[in-house]
Amino acid sequence: MMREEDAAELLDALAERGIDVRLDGGWGVDALLGRQTREHDDLDLFSERRDEDALVALLRERGFAPVGRAFTTEAHTAWADDEDREVDLHVFERAADGSLLFEGEAYPASTFDGEGRIAGRAVRCIPPAEQVAFHCGYDHDEDDVHDVRLLCERFGIPVPAEYAREIEG
């Protein structure tokens, strides 16, 4: 489990080294909501390719090692430590026009314009509407339903059709 204090400590360590990250996934949702709403298996981070080596070095110093996952690619890796804490690392590049390039897809720079809080600390994350959009197009689980429900309620986002049955009853 990646507890709130674990996430905050790791984010502080990254900031101290000048490593810029954006939160995604469950902690990204909870950051937008300003409070922890459920338990989290991991901390999903987006980092620019130029910071990858420094970020990986910090993870290794803190006892994290790479673990193979079905989704593992050059740009998407998982790291775990002996305390069952996991970091899901997404590495992107910036195009000349400022857009974000991740695994062959281009996203507008505004994809990282979200702001939230974890343990009282300001963090940067994927904005609410984009978070909801990124929760679509795959077989979702109860955590996804939980996250989408809360984002749609808090930010007035229409519930995506694929979640309507579980959220609207």
Side-chain angles (χ1 to χ4, degrees):
M1 285 291 139
M2 181 64 78
R3 299 170 306 154
E4 183 176 41
E5 55 269 21
D6 298 326
E9 181 183 322
L10 184 56
L11 292 168
D12 286 342
L14 290 164
E16 286 172 11
R17 294 209 186 163
I19 301 169
D20 190 26
V21 295
R22 303 298 194 286
L23 275 67
D24 187 21
W27 272 117
V29 169
D30 279 357
L32 290 167
L33 297 169
R35 64 185 175 86
Q36 185 174 355
T37 65
R38 65 174 178 84
E39 291 187 340
H40 300 280
D41 294 328
D42 61 9
L43 178 66
D44 291 88
L45 299 176
F46 269 88
S47 176
E48 201 161 347
R49 173 93 40 214
R50 69 176 184 214
D51 291 327
E52 181 181 16
D53 290 343
L55 197 156
V56 166
L58 184 138
L59 290 174
R60 288 185 186 279
E61 288 169 19
R62 292 178 163 265
F64 287 84
V67 290
R69 296 284 185 252
F71 59 74
T72 299
T73 65
E74 180 184 331
H76 188 182
T77 57
W79 298 78
D81 69 5
D82 292 340
E83 295 179 40
D84 291 326
R85 296 178 298 187
E86 190 164 314
V87 172
D88 191 0
L89 178 60
H90 307 76
V91 178
F92 70 94
E93 296 183 41
R94 268 195 209 275
D97 66 1
S99 63
L100 314 169
L101 306 174
F102 177 70
E103 295 199 325
E105 298 288 329
Y107 301 91
S110 61
T111 302
F112 287 157
D113 283 352
E115 296 179 4
R117 300 193 83 69
I118 291 181
R121 147 193 224 296
V123 295
R124 297 168 80 183
C125 49
I126 294 176
E130 286 82 352
Q131 273 280 11
V132 170
F134 289 158
H135 276 80
C136 295
Y138 61 88
D139 291 333
H140 54 266
D141 62 22
E142 61 188 51
D143 286 341
D144 296 313
V145 172
H146 169 89
D147 292 349
V148 168
R149 177 187 303 111
L150 291 177
L151 288 170
C152 291
E153 287 172 359
R154 169 71 74 82
F155 298 101
I157 300 167
V159 174
E162 65 192 80
Y163 284 89
R165 189 181 69 216
E166 288 114 330
I167 292 177
E168 297 172 345

